[in-house]
Amino acid sequence: MLTDTPGLHHVTGIVGDAQEAIDFYAGVLGLRLVAQTVNYEDILQHHLYFGDAAGSPGTVLTGFPDPHADPGRRGKPQVASVSFVVPADALEFWQTRLEDHDIAVEGPSERFDERVLQFEDPVGTALEFVAEPTSDPGPDPDAGLEPWTAGPVPEASAVRGLHGVSLLSVNPYSTASTLETLGFDLEAEFENRIRYRASGARGSDSRATAIDILDREAPFGREGPGTLHHVAVRVDDEEALYEWHDLFDERDYNVSRVKDRHFFHSLYVREPGGVLFELATETDGVAASGETGGPGESLYLPDRFEADRDLIESQLPELTAPAGADRDR
């Protein structure tokens, strides 16, 4: 029996230089470099995971570095932007910090009942900070979610996790139908945004539950650095993935087989509006097992790739996670 998704699992983008991405997401935004591994479809390409202390579902942004690719172009059908939750009184801190790092900031602006800052990463990926509603009590203290506080950002202002994503679809009605199939409910409209909300997994906590469909004209996008590749939503377990596979297959969606992503299992579905979704299983977090050996300090490889470690490491740049510093900026 299929159950509704509680919300987002992770979001994946294409970045440029791997070290530049680490310097930005870990060094400026203060996320934990939870793991550096490889793209399982191309083992000579890094796959970087950023998130909270454990890399918990609902907090993770991952990136495929591709420094030699032509720049991407934001457009249909794509995930247009990803937003992060920060504490209600932290937007002034973040506006100052981003500007001190020569990052252009728009806002804060009002959207729905939220205050939002908009900015871009070094290759043009559209990012947002959304101030956590003061009425939101936050996650259950037993849920295990902890912001990463050993990095350069003080705990009082640290990123709390994902807020949501915005989608550009070639068929917004079809994309809305897919969201409803997954368990998202229509919540509100604001200008050219139609917001859908998942139920959430931690009581009244609303983090990682929002998906906005943008009903506006946009050019067709081109995949490459500066674009977001897909958004993943959470499902209970591997058995549920097979049930979802059968459902989408029966509806003639373009759906992949179930894949072992080591940190979780997943499948991919390209819905009729063209947006790529991943369905990924619940876990305690990418770093919860301790297998990654610390905050992305070394290249982690699943057992099936260990025999090729010397070859892989010889073809990939050595990466460095930033130390905790720069806390006053």
Side-chain angles (χ1 to χ4, degrees), residues 196-267:
Y196 281 81
R197 177 83 68 178
S199 61
R202 295 174 289 276
S204 58
D205 182 21
S206 62
R207 303 174 196 182
T209 57
I211 292 185
D212 292 353
I213 297 175
L214 303 178
D215 187 12
R216 70 184 191 206
E217 291 299 317
F220 281 95
R222 181 180 62 228
E223 189 173 284
T227 63
L228 293 162
H229 188 264
H230 65 268
V231 54
V233 299
R234 303 157 70 173
V235 300
D236 288 340
D237 51 34
E238 190 176 355
E239 180 180 356
L241 285 177
Y242 286 100
E243 295 180 22
W244 280 109
H245 175 278
D246 291 347
L247 174 68
F248 286 122
D249 188 52
E250 289 169 2
R251 297 184 180 184
D252 293 325
Y253 281 40
N254 183 359
V255 60
S256 77
R257 61 179 176 82
V258 174
K259 301 187 178 188
D260 180 0
R261 294 314 192 196
H262 188 74
F263 302 123
F264 47 84
H265 285 76
S266 71
L267 63 79

Side-chain angles (χ1 to χ4, degrees), residues 104-235:
V105 179
E106 292 186 23
S109 58
E110 300 289 331
R111 188 170 70 203
F112 298 108
D113 58 349
E114 304 161 344
R115 297 176 65 237
V116 182
L117 285 180
Q118 297 174 297
F119 57 102
E120 295 181 348
D121 75 1
V123 291
T125 308
L127 307 174
E128 299 175 341
F129 281 147
V130 177
E132 190 169 43
T134 55
S135 59
D136 191 337
D140 184 322
D142 296 325
L145 293 182
E146 297 179 4
W148 181 237
T149 58
V153 176
E155 182 174 2
S157 301
V159 173
R160 267 39 185 180
L162 297 174
H163 172 269
V165 295
S166 299
L167 308 180
L168 283 168
S169 169
V170 298
N171 188 333
Y173 293 102
S174 293
T175 301
S177 177
T178 301
L179 291 178
E180 290 169 1
T181 297
L182 290 168
F184 288 80
D185 294 320
L186 176 63
E187 182 178 78
E189 295 186 24
F190 179 81
E191 296 179 348
N192 60 7
R193 290 177 175 269
I194 301 96
R195 170 151 297 176
Y196 281 81
R197 177 83 68 178
S199 61
R202 295 174 289 276
S204 58
D205 182 21
S206 62
R207 303 174 196 182
T209 57
I211 292 185
D212 292 353
I213 297 175
L214 303 178
D215 187 12
R216 70 184 191 206
E217 291 299 317
F220 281 95
R222 181 180 62 228
E223 189 173 284
T227 63
L228 293 162
H229 188 264
H230 65 268
V231 54
V233 299
R234 303 157 70 173
V235 300

